[in-house]
Amino acid sequence: MPDVINKVRAGEGTWAYSGDQVVGLGVWTEREIGHGDDAEPLLLHQVRRDEGLIGVFDGSGGSGAATAYRSGDGVDRSGAWVGSRVARAAVESWFCAQLRAGCSFEPESLRVHLGTMLGQMRPATRSKISGSARRELPTTVAVARYQRREHVVTCQILWAGDSRVYLLTPGAGLQALSRDHTVETDALHQLLQDPPMTNVASADRDFYIDCAELVVDTPCVLLCATDGFFGYVDTPADLEVHLLQALRDSASELEWAKGLVGRVRSYTGDDASLSLVGLGFPGFAALRDQFAERTSVVFDRYAPGAHRDVASRGDPEFGRWRDEAWAAYRYGYERLMPPPRTEVR
């Protein structure tokens, strides 16, 4: 079945795909139409080899706010805007080239390819804005490469920055597969502090591509998301609440994607993008049905307003409830998270 693309209006997009035990979708929204720092999400699936890649890319608007180029119709584009689009193109071309050549997917080869493409797109004239925080074409990268074999999926997680990769299963729920490159990596503390990043892809500074590998049983869902999806919620569990409630209320992949657009627009203060692939499900209905029990559990335990003694953020008990909810959710959420990176000097 070919990709289904449905762009309802400027500033948002939804994509859906359904194949042989593969269900995929993408969601993309802009806070300011035409000027969003998130590139469109990436979903590549090679049917014959039953492998593919999903990814998201979020240009760093603060450090990359300077104008990088002016389009033919006179629109100024920031370095963050350009960086995320170049990173998307770089990851796609890297994956396709490695696949065609039969080469291994080494993180260093991606870093070199990404750095080269970003470098080639550096502005011809330097910005007058200077400072240690300024970057040229800065962007996050969060990618999950997968290959399905019988009842397991081999996964390679590649990332730079604070966009995230997750695993979602009917039994364990949402689990982080990447660890943010930030000075604080506790997911709840990050919601309260918005810590700065310690590593981000860019055209003018050294960066690294972190990597984690694992094998997971099917059926499962892999997803990548930028912080517009997870950075404006009350607790880390809220992302799973939104994902599963939108799934419960949908009759197709495209409806699920549209439902996520509505949900993320209702709470985020940023651009937001998400790419998702479900593997080992006979179809969308089977995927939705297998998550029905988990949806009820997550809603009953973690959804704000589901508890009699906590009504809203303004409730005096909200802080206590949030801490307790995170304490209960944290072990499962972090169980597959890679350890902090050890720098080699």
Side-chain angles (χ1 to χ4, degrees), residues 168-173 290-291 294:
L168 179 65
T169 62
Q290 289 198 40
F291 277 100
R294 177 65 185 180

Side-chain angles (χ1 to χ4, degrees), residues 110-163:
L110 174 58
R111 186 197 66 79
V112 170
H113 185 64
L114 178 57
T116 298
M117 288 191 63
L118 287 169
Q120 290 171 344
M121 294 298 293
R122 293 180 74 172
T125 58
R126 299 298 174 86
S127 169
K128 294 180 180 180
I129 302 174
S130 61
S132 60
R134 191 186 69 83
R135 299 285 188 275
E136 290 189 1
L137 315 188
T139 182
T140 70
V141 175
V143 171
R145 189 181 66 82
Y146 62 86
Q147 185 167 31
R148 187 162 64 96
R149 289 290 182 270
E150 295 183 349
H151 301 296
V152 299
V153 178
T154 301
C155 306
Q156 182 185 37
I157 313 304
L158 302 158
W159 76 99
D162 64 356
S163 293

Side-chain angles (χ1 to χ4, degrees), residues 151-153 155 166-177 214-223 240 243-244 247 256 276-281 286-298 329 332-333 335-336:
H151 301 296
V152 299
V153 178
C155 306
Y166 298 95
L167 175 70
L168 179 65
T169 62
L174 191 68
Q175 297 177 286
L177 299 183
L214 72 161
V215 177
V216 298
D217 294 332
T218 59
C220 66
V221 173
L222 292 169
L223 65 114
E240 186 178 355
L243 288 166
L244 295 185
L247 173 63
W256 190 12
L276 174 157
V277 61
L279 301 166
F281 299 95
L287 188 156
R288 183 193 57 211
D289 293 347
Q290 289 198 40
F291 277 100
E293 183 176 352
R294 177 65 185 180
T295 302
S296 297
V297 169
V298 169
Y329 189 75
Y333 176 87
R335 191 170 67 85
L336 300 179

Side-chain angles (χ1 to χ4, degrees), residues 237 301-302 321-333:
R301 291 180 182 175
Y302 304 113
W321 169 80
R322 181 177 56 198
D323 290 343
E324 291 178 355
W326 174 228
Y329 189 75
R330 183 173 184 173
Y331 172 76
Y333 176 87

Side-chain angles (χ1 to χ4, degrees), residues 75-118:
V75 177
D76 287 339
R77 297 300 187 188
S78 71
W81 190 97
V82 175
S84 64
R85 273 75 179 176
V86 173
R88 184 190 188 280
V91 169
E92 181 173 6
S93 60
W94 170 79
F95 174 76
C96 292
Q98 300 299 100
L99 198 64
R100 285 193 300 267
C103 297
S104 59
F105 295 86
E106 296 297 329
E108 179 62 11
S109 69
L110 174 58
R111 186 197 66 79
V112 170
H113 185 64
L114 178 57
T116 298
M117 288 191 63
L118 287 169

Side-chain angles (χ1 to χ4, degrees), residues 41-57:
L42 185 62
L43 169 58
L44 304 170
H45 183 73
Q46 218 286 343
V47 175
R48 182 177 59 84
R49 294 172 58 93
D50 206 5
E51 66 179 289
L53 176 146
I54 58 173
V56 293
F57 314 88

